[in-house]
Amino acid sequence: MISILETVGFYSVAIVILYSGFRVVTTRNLVHTVLWLGMVLGSTAVVFLMLSAPFLAAIQIILYTGGILTLMLFGVMLTHRDYGFTTVPNDSRTQLQAAVLGVFTFGVLAFGILATPNLPSQPAAVPNTQKLGEAFLTEHVLAFEVLSLLLLAAVLGAIVLARKQDPQVDGEVDGPRIPSRRVGQPQKG
């Protein structure tokens, strides 16, 4: 039986997830958007803990909240290094269309779930971590390796896109500019 405390906890986490998700799509500052996404991903890990799935919660924290979020923050900071923390346009003309599309998508998913015959009444047995690891490295090894290559290609693509050619000054060698004097010191000569 579900206690009142569990119900209140679930709804509290659900409100945090919904509000944070709303802020992800409405915040104009890119860094703040990534931080709100971190809140969504971290709160999702809390939901996994509430569902007695500590392995999924750990993967959520390590992989998504830790890895992907860090990669996105570096991507935002590298691609917008010349402009500071820029804002993105948030065109209000498309908000109604986005809301209609969101309601339509929710309706399609709800209909698909409710109209599916023979849904199990009890949740499936939870496999342990050892069986999950063996499945990744035996029967699903091809998908696991293809995903690894896809993530590697994404990282390399982000590096290539983030690297900008700085304008060269005549007679300047490639590499970072090193100031000839320290800031605040008078120039000699």
Side-chain angles (χ1 to χ4, degrees), residues 106-180:
F106 176 78
V108 168
L109 289 173
F111 176 76
I113 291 170
L114 295 174
T116 302
N118 302 326
L119 285 177
S121 59
Q122 297 294 326
V126 178
N128 62 17
T129 310
Q130 181 180 358
K131 289 181 182 178
L132 188 62
E134 288 173 358
F136 273 142
L137 297 175
T138 55
E139 59 190 83
H140 300 296
V141 71
L142 180 63
F144 189 71
E145 293 300 326
V146 168
L147 182 62
S148 300
L149 288 174
L150 180 66
L151 287 173
L152 178 65
V155 168
L156 291 176
I159 290 171
V160 168
L161 289 174
R163 173 139 172 76
K164 291 183 181 178
Q165 295 296 329
D166 294 328
Q168 298 291 322
V169 179
D170 290 337
E172 182 180 326
V173 295
D174 288 342
R177 290 187 200 173
I178 300 172
S180 60

Side-chain angles (χ1 to χ4, degrees), residues 3 12 28 37 45 49 52 57 73-74 101 106 121-122 133 136 189:
S3 71
S12 300
R28 297 176 62 124
L37 180 63
L49 284 175
S52 300
L73 262 178
F74 276 113
L101 181 63
F106 176 78
S121 59
Q122 297 294 326
F136 273 142

Side-chain angles (χ1 to χ4, degrees), residues 62-75:
I62 293 169
L63 184 66
Y64 290 109
T65 308
I68 302 298
L69 195 66
T70 304
L71 184 66
M72 289 177 70
L73 262 178
F74 276 113

Side-chain angles (χ1 to χ4, degrees), residues 1-18:
M1 183 167 189
I2 298 175
S3 71
I4 302 272
L5 186 62
E6 289 175 341
T7 304
V8 168
F10 173 77
Y11 283 115
S12 300
V13 173
I15 288 170
V16 168
I17 290 174
L18 289 174

Side-chain angles (χ1 to χ4, degrees), residues 56-116:
L56 287 178
I59 293 297
Q60 180 77 15
I61 293 292
I62 293 169
L63 184 66
Y64 290 109
T65 308
I68 302 298
L69 195 66
T70 304
L71 184 66
M72 289 177 70
L73 262 178
F74 276 113
V76 166
M77 289 180 176
L78 284 175
T79 55
H80 295 290
R81 67 178 182 215
D82 296 335
Y83 313 112
F85 298 135
T86 61
T87 60
V88 291
N90 194 355
D91 193 6
S92 61
R93 293 178 300 186
T94 60
Q95 287 181 353
L96 178 64
Q97 296 167 349
V100 169
L101 181 63
V103 169
F104 176 75
T105 303
F106 176 78
V108 168
L109 289 173
F111 176 76
I113 291 170
L114 295 174
T116 302

